[in-house]
Amino acid sequence: MLRQSFKLVIITSAFVLNSHPAIPLASEMTVTSQTSSNNLVANDSNTLPLHLKISLSDRQVTLYRGKTQIKSYPIAVGRQGWETPIGNFQILNMLKNPTWINPFTEKAIPGGHAENPLGNYWIGFWTDGKNWVGFHGTPNPDSIGKAVSHGCIRMYNHDIKELFHQVDLGTPVTVEP
């Protein structure tokens, strides 16, 4: 009899637990907001993917979440003969205090060194297997806004630090003329 009562309690408990509607966790809930046209719009801005769009002619990179512009940053781009590649890419690697290797002499300047032209952050998005193109800081802030690099996207040091902490490996990068 005790076994039958125990089985009945388990079956009843399972029935009661399964008969109640699921209560979503706070992180699963969709917040809605009222628009001027009185339509409800789901706010899923935290679930939309991030992507970067580089405008070479405007010398700026813009961070988007879905179609919403988050922030734009001024940049320097590749100079003639070392143009920044155009197309659709994704972030392939991210380094803090990257070592810079001179493309002509192959001399290395360690990360964190005052003479390192990459600054303290690197976000790589293109490679041909030998050379890399990516976002990085610069010890020469006067170069921002100009076509002066070896194809890379130079940023102010405080801007690359901010961007580094917002994106991840795999984040799409579009480079437009």
Side-chain angles (χ1 to χ4, degrees):
M1 181 75 169
L2 184 60
R3 282 187 183 168
Q4 287 178 338
S5 296
F6 185 68
K7 285 181 184 177
L8 183 59
V9 167
I10 291 175
I11 291 170
T12 305
S13 297
F15 175 75
V16 169
L17 289 174
N18 288 325
S19 66
H20 291 307
I23 300 172
L25 299 173
S27 62
E28 297 172 333
M29 296 176 68
T30 300
V31 178
T32 58
S33 61
Q34 195 81 16
T35 64
S36 60
S37 62
N38 292 326
N39 294 325
L40 291 177
V41 177
N43 179 0
D44 58 352
S45 63
N46 290 331
T47 60
L48 293 174
L50 291 172
H51 67 277
L52 295 166
K53 186 177 351 179
I54 297 168
S55 171
L56 298 176
S57 59
D58 292 336
R59 309 280 199 271
Q60 74 176 17
V61 60
T62 304
L63 175 65
Y64 290 89
R65 181 173 296 282
K67 294 180 181 180
T68 303
Q69 180 178 325
I70 303 299
K71 189 163 185 180
S72 289
Y73 302 94
I75 59 173
V77 299
R79 67 179 183 228
Q80 189 174 5
W82 290 86
E83 289 84 3
T84 303
I86 295 170
N88 295 311
F89 310 99
Q90 65 179 337
I91 294 175
L92 301 172
N93 64 10
M94 298 176 68
L95 301 169
K96 187 170 181 186
N97 292 322
T99 297
W100 180 71
I101 300 173
N102 185 307
F104 304 109
T105 66
E106 297 192 19
K107 176 186 172 190
I109 298 178
H113 192 281
E115 293 179 22
N116 185 319
L118 300 180
N120 295 321
Y121 296 92
W122 167 263
I123 303 172
F125 64 86
W126 178 92
T127 184
D128 63 5
K130 180 181 176 188
N131 299 302
W132 279 88
V133 170
F135 300 90
H136 62 79
T138 180
N140 182 8
D142 292 338
S143 68
I144 303 301
K146 300 174 183 165
V148 293
S149 77
H150 289 133
C152 284
I153 304 299
R154 290 185 190 174
M155 298 178 71
Y156 291 118
N157 291 326
H158 63 277
D159 287 346
I160 186 66
K161 179 179 181 180
E162 182 176 291
L163 186 63
F164 186 89
H165 293 290
Q166 294 184 74
V167 298
D168 293 306
L169 293 176
T171 299
V173 178
T174 300
V175 182
E176 299 177 341

Short mmCIF file of all heavy atoms in Angstrom, two decimals, residues 41-104:
data_model
loop_
_atom_site.label_atom_id
_atom_site.label_comp_id
_atom_site.label_asym_id
_atom_site.label_seq_id
_atom_site.Cartn_x
_atom_site.Cartn_y
_atom_site.Cartn_z
N VAL A 41 6.25 46.47 -30.82
CA VAL A 41 7.43 46.01 -31.53
C VAL A 41 8.30 45.24 -30.55
O VAL A 41 8.59 45.73 -29.46
CB VAL A 41 8.23 47.21 -32.11
CG1 VAL A 41 9.50 46.73 -32.78
CG2 VAL A 41 7.36 48.01 -33.05
N ALA A 42 8.69 44.04 -30.92
CA ALA A 42 9.56 43.24 -30.05
C ALA A 42 10.94 43.86 -30.01
O ALA A 42 11.47 44.28 -31.03
CB ALA A 42 9.64 41.81 -30.56
N ASN A 43 11.52 43.93 -28.81
CA ASN A 43 12.87 44.47 -28.64
C ASN A 43 13.81 43.29 -28.44
O ASN A 43 13.98 42.81 -27.34
CB ASN A 43 12.90 45.41 -27.44
CG ASN A 43 14.28 45.97 -27.20
OD1 ASN A 43 15.22 45.67 -27.93
ND2 ASN A 43 14.42 46.78 -26.18
N ASP A 44 14.40 42.82 -29.53
CA ASP A 44 15.33 41.70 -29.44
C ASP A 44 16.75 42.15 -29.77
O ASP A 44 17.54 41.41 -30.31
CB ASP A 44 14.90 40.57 -30.35
CG ASP A 44 14.78 41.00 -31.80
OD1 ASP A 44 14.88 42.21 -32.08
OD2 ASP A 44 14.58 40.13 -32.65
N SER A 45 17.04 43.40 -29.43
CA SER A 45 18.33 43.98 -29.82
C SER A 45 19.52 43.24 -29.22
O SER A 45 20.61 43.29 -29.78
CB SER A 45 18.39 45.46 -29.43
OG SER A 45 18.30 45.60 -28.04
N ASN A 46 19.34 42.54 -28.12
CA ASN A 46 20.46 41.82 -27.54
C ASN A 46 20.71 40.49 -28.23
O ASN A 46 21.74 39.88 -28.00
CB ASN A 46 20.25 41.60 -26.04
CG ASN A 46 20.35 42.90 -25.27
OD1 ASN A 46 21.06 43.80 -25.69
ND2 ASN A 46 19.64 42.99 -24.18
N THR A 47 19.78 40.03 -29.06
CA THR A 47 19.97 38.76 -29.73
C THR A 47 20.41 38.91 -31.17
O THR A 47 20.83 37.95 -31.79
CB THR A 47 18.68 37.93 -29.68
OG1 THR A 47 17.64 38.65 -30.34
CG2 THR A 47 18.27 37.62 -28.25
N LEU A 48 20.30 40.11 -31.72
CA LEU A 48 20.73 40.32 -33.11
C LEU A 48 22.25 40.33 -33.18
O LEU A 48 22.92 40.81 -32.27
CB LEU A 48 20.18 41.65 -33.64
CG LEU A 48 18.67 41.72 -33.80
CD1 LEU A 48 18.24 43.13 -34.19
CD2 LEU A 48 18.19 40.72 -34.83
N PRO A 49 22.81 39.80 -34.27
CA PRO A 49 24.27 39.73 -34.38
C PRO A 49 24.90 41.09 -34.67
O PRO A 49 24.31 41.95 -35.29
CB PRO A 49 24.48 38.78 -35.57
CG PRO A 49 23.24 38.91 -36.38
CD PRO A 49 22.13 39.19 -35.40
N LEU A 50 26.13 41.23 -34.21
CA LEU A 50 26.94 42.41 -34.50
C LEU A 50 27.61 42.24 -35.85
O LEU A 50 27.90 41.11 -36.27
CB LEU A 50 28.03 42.59 -33.45
CG LEU A 50 27.60 42.97 -32.05
CD1 LEU A 50 28.78 42.90 -31.10
CD2 LEU A 50 27.00 44.36 -32.04
N HIS A 51 27.88 43.34 -36.55
CA HIS A 51 28.72 43.32 -37.74
C HIS A 51 29.36 44.69 -37.91
O HIS A 51 28.88 45.68 -37.38
CB HIS A 51 27.96 42.87 -38.99
CG HIS A 51 26.90 43.82 -39.46
ND1 HIS A 51 25.64 43.84 -38.94
CD2 HIS A 51 26.92 44.77 -40.41
CE1 HIS A 51 24.92 44.77 -39.54
NE2 HIS A 51 25.67 45.35 -40.44
N LEU A 52 30.45 44.70 -38.66
CA LEU A 52 31.22 45.92 -38.91
C LEU A 52 31.15 46.26 -40.39
O LEU A 52 31.25 45.37 -41.23
CB LEU A 52 32.68 45.72 -38.50
CG LEU A 52 32.92 45.49 -37.01
CD1 LEU A 52 34.33 44.96 -36.78
CD2 LEU A 52 32.70 46.76 -36.24
N LYS A 53 31.00 47.55 -40.68
CA LYS A 53 31.04 48.02 -42.06
C LYS A 53 32.10 49.11 -42.15
O LYS A 53 32.03 50.12 -41.45
CB LYS A 53 29.70 48.55 -42.53
CG LYS A 53 29.73 48.89 -44.01
CD LYS A 53 28.47 49.38 -44.69
CE LYS A 53 27.19 49.36 -44.01
NZ LYS A 53 26.10 49.91 -44.83
N ILE A 54 33.07 48.89 -43.03
CA ILE A 54 34.14 49.86 -43.25
C ILE A 54 33.85 50.60 -44.54
O ILE A 54 33.63 49.98 -45.58
CB ILE A 54 35.51 49.15 -43.37
CG1 ILE A 54 35.85 48.43 -42.08
CG2 ILE A 54 36.60 50.15 -43.77
CD1 ILE A 54 37.03 47.48 -42.21
N SER A 55 33.82 51.93 -44.47
CA SER A 55 33.72 52.76 -45.67
C SER A 55 35.09 53.37 -45.90
O SER A 55 35.52 54.25 -45.15
CB SER A 55 32.67 53.86 -45.48
OG SER A 55 32.73 54.76 -46.55
N LEU A 56 35.78 52.87 -46.94
CA LEU A 56 37.12 53.39 -47.23
C LEU A 56 37.07 54.86 -47.62
O LEU A 56 37.92 55.64 -47.20
CB LEU A 56 37.77 52.55 -48.34
CG LEU A 56 38.00 51.08 -48.00
CD1 LEU A 56 38.56 50.35 -49.22
CD2 LEU A 56 38.90 50.92 -46.80
N SER A 57 36.07 55.25 -48.43
CA SER A 57 35.99 56.65 -48.88
C SER A 57 35.66 57.61 -47.74
O SER A 57 36.15 58.73 -47.72
CB SER A 57 34.97 56.79 -50.01
OG SER A 57 33.69 56.37 -49.57
N ASP A 58 34.84 57.16 -46.79
CA ASP A 58 34.50 58.00 -45.64
C ASP A 58 35.52 57.89 -44.52
O ASP A 58 35.44 58.65 -43.54
CB ASP A 58 33.12 57.63 -45.09
CG ASP A 58 31.99 57.98 -46.04
OD1 ASP A 58 32.17 58.87 -46.90
OD2 ASP A 58 30.91 57.34 -45.93
N ARG A 59 36.43 56.92 -44.64
CA ARG A 59 37.45 56.69 -43.60
C ARG A 59 36.79 56.48 -42.24
O ARG A 59 37.16 57.10 -41.24
CB ARG A 59 38.46 57.84 -43.51
CG ARG A 59 39.11 58.25 -44.81
CD ARG A 59 40.25 57.32 -45.19
NE ARG A 59 41.15 57.93 -46.15
CZ ARG A 59 41.00 57.86 -47.47
NH1 ARG A 59 39.97 57.24 -47.98
NH2 ARG A 59 41.89 58.40 -48.28
N GLN A 60 35.83 55.55 -42.22
CA GLN A 60 35.21 55.22 -40.94
C GLN A 60 34.75 53.78 -40.93
O GLN A 60 34.49 53.18 -41.96
CB GLN A 60 34.06 56.17 -40.61
CG GLN A 60 32.79 55.97 -41.37
CD GLN A 60 31.69 56.90 -40.89
OE1 GLN A 60 31.94 57.89 -40.20
NE2 GLN A 60 30.46 56.57 -41.22
N VAL A 61 34.70 53.22 -39.73
CA VAL A 61 34.12 51.90 -39.51
C VAL A 61 32.93 52.09 -38.59
O VAL A 61 32.97 52.88 -37.64
CB VAL A 61 35.14 50.90 -38.91
CG1 VAL A 61 35.68 51.37 -37.56
CG2 VAL A 61 34.50 49.52 -38.78
N THR A 62 31.84 51.37 -38.90
CA THR A 62 30.62 51.47 -38.11
C THR A 62 30.27 50.10 -37.56
O THR A 62 30.28 49.11 -38.30
CB THR A 62 29.45 52.03 -38.95
OG1 THR A 62 29.85 53.29 -39.50
CG2 THR A 62 28.21 52.22 -38.11
N LEU A 63 29.96 50.06 -36.28
CA LEU A 63 29.51 48.85 -35.61
C LEU A 63 27.99 48.83 -35.61
O LEU A 63 27.36 49.82 -35.22
CB LEU A 63 30.04 48.82 -34.17
CG LEU A 63 29.58 47.66 -33.28
CD1 LEU A 63 30.10 46.33 -33.80
CD2 LEU A 63 30.05 47.91 -31.84
N TYR A 64 27.40 47.75 -36.08
CA TYR A 64 25.95 47.58 -36.12
C TYR A 64 25.54 46.38 -35.29
O TYR A 64 26.27 45.40 -35.20
CB TYR A 64 25.48 47.30 -37.56
CG TYR A 64 25.59 48.46 -38.49
CD1 TYR A 64 26.75 48.68 -39.23
CD2 TYR A 64 24.52 49.33 -38.68
CE1 TYR A 64 26.85 49.74 -40.11
CE2 TYR A 64 24.60 50.39 -39.57
CZ TYR A 64 25.77 50.58 -40.28
OH TYR A 64 25.86 51.63 -41.15
N ARG A 65 24.34 46.45 -34.72
CA ARG A 65 23.66 45.30 -34.14
C ARG A 65 22.40 45.15 -34.98
O ARG A 65 21.53 46.01 -34.92
CB ARG A 65 23.31 45.47 -32.67
CG ARG A 65 22.62 44.21 -32.12
CD ARG A 65 22.40 44.24 -30.64
NE ARG A 65 23.61 44.26 -29.84
CZ ARG A 65 24.39 43.20 -29.59
NH1 ARG A 65 24.10 42.03 -30.11
NH2 ARG A 65 25.44 43.31 -28.84
N GLY A 66 22.36 44.12 -35.82
CA GLY A 66 21.28 44.02 -36.79
C GLY A 66 21.40 45.20 -37.74
O GLY A 66 22.46 45.47 -38.29
N LYS A 67 20.32 45.95 -37.91
CA LYS A 67 20.34 47.14 -38.78
C LYS A 67 20.58 48.43 -37.99
O LYS A 67 20.63 49.51 -38.57
CB LYS A 67 19.02 47.25 -39.54
CG LYS A 67 18.81 46.14 -40.53
CD LYS A 67 17.49 46.31 -41.26
CE LYS A 67 17.28 45.18 -42.25
NZ LYS A 67 16.02 45.30 -42.96
N THR A 68 20.73 48.31 -36.68
CA THR A 68 20.89 49.48 -35.82
C THR A 68 22.36 49.86 -35.68
O THR A 68 23.18 49.04 -35.27
CB THR A 68 20.29 49.23 -34.42
OG1 THR A 68 18.92 48.86 -34.58
CG2 THR A 68 20.41 50.45 -33.54
N GLN A 69 22.67 51.11 -36.02
CA GLN A 69 24.03 51.61 -35.87
C GLN A 69 24.32 51.83 -34.39
O GLN A 69 23.58 52.53 -33.71
CB GLN A 69 24.18 52.92 -36.64
CG GLN A 69 25.56 53.51 -36.55
CD GLN A 69 25.70 54.79 -37.36
OE1 GLN A 69 25.10 54.93 -38.41
NE2 GLN A 69 26.48 55.71 -36.83
N ILE A 70 25.41 51.21 -33.92
CA ILE A 70 25.81 51.36 -32.52
C ILE A 70 26.79 52.52 -32.37
O ILE A 70 26.60 53.41 -31.55
CB ILE A 70 26.47 50.06 -31.98
CG1 ILE A 70 25.53 48.87 -32.14
CG2 ILE A 70 26.90 50.24 -30.53
CD1 ILE A 70 24.22 48.97 -31.41
N LYS A 71 27.85 52.52 -33.19
CA LYS A 71 28.85 53.57 -33.08
C LYS A 71 29.73 53.56 -34.33
O LYS A 71 29.99 52.51 -34.90
CB LYS A 71 29.72 53.37 -31.84
CG LYS A 71 30.65 54.53 -31.56
CD LYS A 71 31.19 54.51 -30.16
CE LYS A 71 32.02 55.75 -29.89
NZ LYS A 71 32.56 55.77 -28.55
N SER A 72 30.21 54.74 -34.73
CA SER A 72 31.17 54.88 -35.82
C SER A 72 32.48 55.41 -35.28
O SER A 72 32.49 56.20 -34.33
CB SER A 72 30.63 55.84 -36.89
OG SER A 72 29.58 55.26 -37.60
N TYR A 73 33.57 54.98 -35.92
CA TYR A 73 34.90 55.39 -35.51
C TYR A 73 35.68 55.88 -36.73
O TYR A 73 35.61 55.27 -37.81
CB TYR A 73 35.68 54.21 -34.92
CG TYR A 73 35.03 53.53 -33.75
CD1 TYR A 73 34.22 52.41 -33.93
CD2 TYR A 73 35.25 53.98 -32.45
CE1 TYR A 73 33.64 51.76 -32.85
CE2 TYR A 73 34.68 53.35 -31.36
CZ TYR A 73 33.88 52.24 -31.57
OH TYR A 73 33.31 51.60 -30.49
N PRO A 74 36.47 56.94 -36.59
CA PRO A 74 37.35 57.37 -37.69
C PRO A 74 38.51 56.39 -37.83
O PRO A 74 38.96 55.80 -36.83
CB PRO A 74 37.83 58.75 -37.24
CG PRO A 74 37.74 58.71 -35.75
CD PRO A 74 36.58 57.80 -35.41
N ILE A 75 38.98 56.21 -39.06
CA ILE A 75 40.05 55.25 -39.31
C ILE A 75 41.03 55.79 -40.35
O ILE A 75 40.74 56.75 -41.06
CB ILE A 75 39.49 53.91 -39.83
CG1 ILE A 75 38.69 54.11 -41.13
CG2 ILE A 75 38.66 53.22 -38.76
CD1 ILE A 75 38.23 52.82 -41.81
N ALA A 76 42.19 55.15 -40.45
CA ALA A 76 43.12 55.30 -41.56
C ALA A 76 43.04 54.00 -42.35
O ALA A 76 42.75 52.94 -41.78
CB ALA A 76 44.54 55.55 -41.06
N VAL A 77 43.28 54.08 -43.65
CA VAL A 77 43.15 52.91 -44.52
C VAL A 77 44.44 52.70 -45.32
O VAL A 77 45.38 53.50 -45.23
CB VAL A 77 41.94 53.05 -45.47
CG1 VAL A 77 40.65 53.18 -44.67
CG2 VAL A 77 42.11 54.25 -46.40
N GLY A 78 44.45 51.65 -46.13
CA GLY A 78 45.62 51.33 -46.93
C GLY A 78 45.94 52.37 -47.98
O GLY A 78 45.05 52.92 -48.61
N ARG A 79 47.23 52.63 -48.14
CA ARG A 79 47.69 53.61 -49.13
C ARG A 79 47.79 52.96 -50.51
O ARG A 79 47.66 51.73 -50.65
CB ARG A 79 49.03 54.20 -48.69
CG ARG A 79 50.17 53.21 -48.72
CD ARG A 79 51.46 53.91 -48.28
NE ARG A 79 52.58 53.00 -48.36
CZ ARG A 79 53.46 52.84 -47.40
NH1 ARG A 79 53.35 53.52 -46.27
NH2 ARG A 79 54.46 52.02 -47.57
N GLN A 80 48.05 53.78 -51.52
CA GLN A 80 48.18 53.29 -52.89
C GLN A 80 49.28 52.23 -52.95
O GLN A 80 50.37 52.42 -52.43
CB GLN A 80 48.49 54.44 -53.83
CG GLN A 80 48.42 54.04 -55.28
CD GLN A 80 48.58 55.25 -56.21
OE1 GLN A 80 48.82 56.37 -55.78
NE2 GLN A 80 48.44 54.99 -57.50
N GLY A 81 48.95 51.12 -53.58
CA GLY A 81 49.88 50.00 -53.65
C GLY A 81 49.71 49.02 -52.50
O GLY A 81 50.18 47.89 -52.56
N TRP A 82 49.08 49.44 -51.43
CA TRP A 82 48.80 48.62 -50.25
C TRP A 82 47.33 48.79 -49.86
O TRP A 82 47.00 48.92 -48.68
CB TRP A 82 49.67 49.03 -49.07
CG TRP A 82 51.11 48.70 -49.21
CD1 TRP A 82 52.07 49.45 -49.82
CD2 TRP A 82 51.77 47.53 -48.74
NE1 TRP A 82 53.28 48.83 -49.75
CE2 TRP A 82 53.14 47.64 -49.09
CE3 TRP A 82 51.35 46.40 -48.05
CZ2 TRP A 82 54.07 46.66 -48.77
CZ3 TRP A 82 52.28 45.43 -47.74
CH2 TRP A 82 53.62 45.56 -48.10
N GLU A 83 46.44 48.81 -50.84
CA GLU A 83 45.02 49.09 -50.59
C GLU A 83 44.40 48.05 -49.65
O GLU A 83 44.75 46.87 -49.69
CB GLU A 83 44.23 49.11 -51.90
CG GLU A 83 44.51 50.33 -52.77
CD GLU A 83 45.74 50.17 -53.67
OE1 GLU A 83 46.38 49.10 -53.67
OE2 GLU A 83 46.08 51.15 -54.37
N THR A 84 43.49 48.52 -48.83
CA THR A 84 42.70 47.64 -47.97
C THR A 84 41.79 46.81 -48.87
O THR A 84 41.14 47.35 -49.75
CB THR A 84 41.85 48.48 -46.99
OG1 THR A 84 42.72 49.34 -46.24
CG2 THR A 84 41.05 47.59 -46.06
N PRO A 85 41.77 45.48 -48.68
CA PRO A 85 40.93 44.64 -49.55
C PRO A 85 39.44 44.95 -49.37
O PRO A 85 38.99 45.22 -48.26
CB PRO A 85 41.26 43.22 -49.13
CG PRO A 85 41.88 43.33 -47.78
CD PRO A 85 42.49 44.70 -47.69
N ILE A 86 38.71 44.91 -50.48
CA ILE A 86 37.27 45.16 -50.48
C ILE A 86 36.55 43.82 -50.51
O ILE A 86 36.99 42.89 -51.20
CB ILE A 86 36.87 46.02 -51.71
CG1 ILE A 86 37.52 47.40 -51.59
CG2 ILE A 86 35.37 46.13 -51.85
CD1 ILE A 86 37.41 48.23 -52.85
N GLY A 87 35.45 43.72 -49.77
CA GLY A 87 34.67 42.49 -49.78
C GLY A 87 34.06 42.18 -48.44
O GLY A 87 34.01 43.04 -47.55
N ASN A 88 33.61 40.94 -48.30
CA ASN A 88 32.98 40.46 -47.06
C ASN A 88 33.93 39.48 -46.38
O ASN A 88 34.38 38.51 -47.00
CB ASN A 88 31.65 39.78 -47.37
CG ASN A 88 30.65 40.76 -47.92
OD1 ASN A 88 30.44 41.83 -47.37
ND2 ASN A 88 30.03 40.40 -49.04
N PHE A 89 34.20 39.75 -45.11
CA PHE A 89 35.15 38.96 -44.35
C PHE A 89 34.55 38.68 -42.98
O PHE A 89 33.40 39.03 -42.71
CB PHE A 89 36.47 39.73 -44.21
CG PHE A 89 36.99 40.26 -45.51
CD1 PHE A 89 36.78 41.58 -45.88
CD2 PHE A 89 37.68 39.43 -46.39
CE1 PHE A 89 37.24 42.08 -47.09
CE2 PHE A 89 38.15 39.93 -47.61
CZ PHE A 89 37.93 41.25 -47.95
N GLN A 90 35.34 38.08 -42.11
CA GLN A 90 34.95 37.92 -40.71
C GLN A 90 36.20 37.99 -39.85
O GLN A 90 37.31 37.75 -40.34
CB GLN A 90 34.21 36.61 -40.48
CG GLN A 90 35.02 35.37 -40.73
CD GLN A 90 34.23 34.10 -40.46
OE1 GLN A 90 33.25 34.11 -39.74
NE2 GLN A 90 34.64 33.00 -41.06
N ILE A 91 36.01 38.32 -38.59
CA ILE A 91 37.14 38.42 -37.68
C ILE A 91 37.73 37.02 -37.49
O ILE A 91 37.03 36.09 -37.11
CB ILE A 91 36.73 39.05 -36.34
CG1 ILE A 91 36.31 40.51 -36.56
CG2 ILE A 91 37.87 38.95 -35.32
CD1 ILE A 91 35.78 41.20 -35.33
N LEU A 92 39.03 36.91 -37.78
CA LEU A 92 39.73 35.63 -37.73
C LEU A 92 40.59 35.47 -36.49
O LEU A 92 40.83 34.35 -36.04
CB LEU A 92 40.62 35.47 -38.97
CG LEU A 92 39.89 35.52 -40.32
CD1 LEU A 92 40.90 35.55 -41.47
CD2 LEU A 92 38.96 34.32 -40.44
N ASN A 93 41.12 36.58 -35.98
CA ASN A 93 41.90 36.51 -34.75
C ASN A 93 41.89 37.84 -34.03
O ASN A 93 41.66 38.88 -34.63
CB ASN A 93 43.33 36.00 -34.98
CG ASN A 93 44.17 36.90 -35.84
OD1 ASN A 93 43.81 38.02 -36.15
ND2 ASN A 93 45.33 36.39 -36.24
N MET A 94 42.09 37.77 -32.73
CA MET A 94 42.10 38.95 -31.87
C MET A 94 43.24 38.77 -30.87
O MET A 94 43.32 37.73 -30.21
CB MET A 94 40.76 39.08 -31.13
CG MET A 94 39.57 39.27 -32.06
SD MET A 94 37.98 39.30 -31.20
CE MET A 94 38.11 40.83 -30.28
N LEU A 95 44.09 39.79 -30.78
CA LEU A 95 45.24 39.70 -29.89
C LEU A 95 45.37 40.97 -29.07
O LEU A 95 45.20 42.07 -29.59
CB LEU A 95 46.53 39.51 -30.69
CG LEU A 95 46.62 38.28 -31.58
CD1 LEU A 95 47.83 38.39 -32.50
CD2 LEU A 95 46.67 37.02 -30.75
N LYS A 96 45.74 40.80 -27.82
CA LYS A 96 46.11 41.93 -26.98
C LYS A 96 47.63 41.96 -26.95
O LYS A 96 48.28 40.92 -26.81
CB LYS A 96 45.53 41.78 -25.58
CG LYS A 96 45.74 42.99 -24.73
CD LYS A 96 44.97 42.94 -23.44
CE LYS A 96 45.24 44.24 -22.69
NZ LYS A 96 44.68 44.24 -21.38
N ASN A 97 48.20 43.15 -27.09
CA ASN A 97 49.66 43.35 -27.16
C ASN A 97 50.30 42.48 -28.25
O ASN A 97 51.18 41.67 -27.97
CB ASN A 97 50.31 43.10 -25.79
CG ASN A 97 49.92 44.16 -24.80
OD1 ASN A 97 49.81 45.33 -25.13
ND2 ASN A 97 49.71 43.74 -23.56
N PRO A 98 49.87 42.67 -29.50
CA PRO A 98 50.41 41.85 -30.59
C PRO A 98 51.84 42.23 -30.94
O PRO A 98 52.25 43.38 -30.83
CB PRO A 98 49.48 42.20 -31.76
CG PRO A 98 49.06 43.61 -31.47
CD PRO A 98 48.92 43.68 -29.96
N THR A 99 52.61 41.25 -31.36
CA THR A 99 53.96 41.49 -31.87
C THR A 99 53.82 41.96 -33.31
O THR A 99 53.04 41.40 -34.08
CB THR A 99 54.79 40.20 -31.82
OG1 THR A 99 54.93 39.81 -30.46
CG2 THR A 99 56.16 40.39 -32.45
N TRP A 100 54.57 43.00 -33.68
CA TRP A 100 54.56 43.47 -35.06
C TRP A 100 55.82 42.98 -35.75
O TRP A 100 56.92 43.06 -35.20
CB TRP A 100 54.51 45.00 -35.12
CG TRP A 100 54.49 45.53 -36.53
CD1 TRP A 100 53.46 45.45 -37.42
CD2 TRP A 100 55.55 46.22 -37.19
NE1 TRP A 100 53.81 46.06 -38.60
CE2 TRP A 100 55.10 46.54 -38.49
CE3 TRP A 100 56.83 46.60 -36.83
CZ2 TRP A 100 55.88 47.22 -39.42
CZ3 TRP A 100 57.61 47.28 -37.75
CH2 TRP A 100 57.13 47.59 -39.03
N ILE A 101 55.65 42.45 -36.96
CA ILE A 101 56.79 42.00 -37.75
C ILE A 101 56.86 42.88 -38.99
O ILE A 101 55.92 42.93 -39.79
CB ILE A 101 56.66 40.52 -38.12
CG1 ILE A 101 56.60 39.69 -36.84
CG2 ILE A 101 57.83 40.09 -39.01
CD1 ILE A 101 56.32 38.22 -37.05
N ASN A 102 57.97 43.58 -39.14
CA ASN A 102 58.18 44.47 -40.28
C ASN A 102 58.09 43.66 -41.57
O ASN A 102 58.81 42.66 -41.72
CB ASN A 102 59.55 45.15 -40.16
CG ASN A 102 59.79 46.17 -41.24
OD1 ASN A 102 59.66 45.90 -42.42
ND2 ASN A 102 60.16 47.36 -40.82
N PRO A 103 57.20 44.06 -42.52
CA PRO A 103 57.03 43.26 -43.73
C PRO A 103 58.25 43.29 -44.67
O PRO A 103 58.35 42.46 -45.56
CB PRO A 103 55.82 43.90 -44.42
CG PRO A 103 55.74 45.28 -43.87
CD PRO A 103 56.31 45.22 -42.49
N PHE A 104 59.17 44.20 -44.45
CA PHE A 104 60.35 44.30 -45.31
C PHE A 104 61.58 43.64 -44.69
O PHE A 104 62.32 42.95 -45.36
CB PHE A 104 60.65 45.77 -45.63
CG PHE A 104 59.49 46.48 -46.26
CD1 PHE A 104 58.79 47.45 -45.55
CD2 PHE A 104 59.07 46.17 -47.54
CE1 PHE A 104 57.70 48.10 -46.12
CE2 PHE A 104 57.97 46.81 -48.11
CZ PHE A 104 57.29 47.78 -47.40
#
